Amino acid sequence: AYGVQQASQRFFGVDARQLDPAQSALLVGLLKAPRRYSPYHHPDNALGRRNVILQVMLRRGVIDQVCRWLST
């Protein structure tokens, strides 16, 4: 998928404006290595990378709570 909107539709079936922080983090995580962090082919890698992105978002003040997202 090319672009946030297309990736949002492909992976989650929603408009990019409707993504929650965990979904956004997963898409951001794909940028580093799309094959390695593919939720289809390597779900454990994808979740691990997503969690790293969520922690960065928390440290930078983009989100104020991360516990709820890490459990999903």
Side-chain angles (χ1 to χ4, degrees):
Y2 294 95
V4 175
Q5 181 63 29
Q6 188 178 3
S8 176
Q9 289 289 330
R10 179 177 178 187
F11 287 101
F12 304 110
V14 299
D15 188 89
R17 291 173 284 187
Q18 297 173 315
L19 292 173
D20 65 38
Q23 293 168 327
S24 298
L26 189 134
L27 293 182
V28 168
L30 287 169
L31 295 173
K32 184 174 182 179
R35 287 190 187 265
R36 184 182 319 149
Y37 298 117
S38 167
Y40 297 129
H41 302 291
H42 304 285
D44 291 338
N45 289 351
L47 288 178
R49 181 72 180 149
R50 180 204 68 178
N51 293 346
V52 167
I53 300 298
L54 284 170
Q55 292 292 342
V56 170
M57 292 170 72
L58 179 65
R59 279 197 312 271
R60 293 186 179 184
V62 176
I63 57 176
D64 60 4
Q65 181 178 331
V66 76
C67 296
R68 180 172 88 130
W69 306 113
L70 290 177
S71 64
T72 60

